[in-house]
Amino acid sequence: MLRTWLVLALLLANAAWGQAPVYSADQMVNAPNYAPGPFAPNSVATIFGSGLARSSQGLTAGVYNTTLPVELNSTRVYVMDSPAPLLYVSDGQVNFLVPGNQLDGDVKIRVVREGITGPEITVTLVDAAPALFQTATGYAIAAHLDNSLIAPGSPAQAGEIIVVYACGLGRTQPNPAPGEIPQNAAAIQRLSDLKVYLGGTASDPASILYAGLTPGSPGLYQINLVLPDSLDTDPEIRVAIADQSSPAGLKLAVQAGGAQLFPDRTR
């Protein structure tokens, strides 16, 4: 009897893994904030569903060197029938990098697990779809120049140079090849269209010292920003490129006050 149940269990397990991955276009979001599309080249996207991978696997030593893998745990994501770079897979979630050379417009995407393909979904790709990384308490993830996190207990000061982390700022110059892990700084191509709003007011373009890729971190952008000489406490922060903007309501931890003096430091 025991042997019969073991055989039945194995048959059921094989039948379960014979099922195709299950997901829909509505279950694909931008990874930093789980906001829906559109998406941008070189941005990190997440697909939620079931049966996406046989078990969890992320990036570990030996899985990658200078480029991201296109397969993790026998799972692949295809963007317009080309394998996309992967960051993480599990039964219910896949994080992948939208190829930086992908053209704008309607893009077809599908997940393949162990050779079994899921449904082909269509999403919209645009030049840039800014998104800010955020904490569970609604603050943008940003850092002081010493790499310490800006938070209510360690707020930024007026006049300080800070680093704001973002995703979806689009193509850069030079633009990395699909899956290439950037080794050097690369400014965004649409720098002249970039605006950073603090408390609803656009920052002076001259205050944006750098906006581009973060070396060593695929899909991660940073904006090196000089804060205005006067700011309210915890202003709303939004980043926009043309008509695409990060969602409203996110705060930057700032201590109100006048201009502060900081040493001349570069990042």
Side-chain angles (χ1 to χ4, degrees), residues 45-202:
T46 296
I47 295 176
F48 291 108
S50 61
L52 304 181
R54 60 190 180 189
S55 60
S56 300
Q57 185 178 8
L59 298 179
T60 56
V63 171
Y64 71 99
N65 41 48
T66 59
T67 58
L68 295 175
V70 296
E71 183 174 307
L72 286 175
N73 215 355
S74 299
T75 289
R76 291 188 173 212
V77 174
Y78 285 87
V79 178
M80 300 298 283
D81 290 327
S82 294
L86 298 179
L87 297 163
Y88 172 80
V89 300
S90 71
D91 175 72
Q93 177 178 343
V94 172
N95 290 357
F96 69 99
L97 193 68
V98 179
N101 62 352
Q102 184 62 52
L103 298 178
D104 302 346
D106 288 342
V107 175
K108 297 183 184 301
I109 294 174
R110 57 191 172 92
V111 178
V112 177
R113 187 208 67 246
E114 297 180 300
I116 303 172
T117 187
E120 189 172 71
I121 60 175
T122 301
V123 300
T124 300
L125 203 70
V126 294
D127 273 350
L132 297 178
F133 292 87
Q134 62 188 70
T135 68
T137 53
Y139 285 90
I141 294 179
H144 302 284
L145 284 185
D146 62 2
N147 288 323
S148 63
L149 187 67
I150 293 172
S154 178
Q157 308 283 335
E160 182 180 355
I161 300 174
I162 68 169
V163 179
V164 179
Y165 291 103
C167 186
L169 300 189
R171 299 177 183 86
T172 60
Q173 186 59 45
N175 200 46
E180 177 187 355
I181 298 174
Q183 301 302 310
N184 301 294
I188 62 173
Q189 292 182 5
R190 299 191 63 179
L191 182 59
S192 61
D193 295 327
L194 175 66
K195 295 184 183 299
V196 179
Y197 292 91
L198 294 170
T201 301

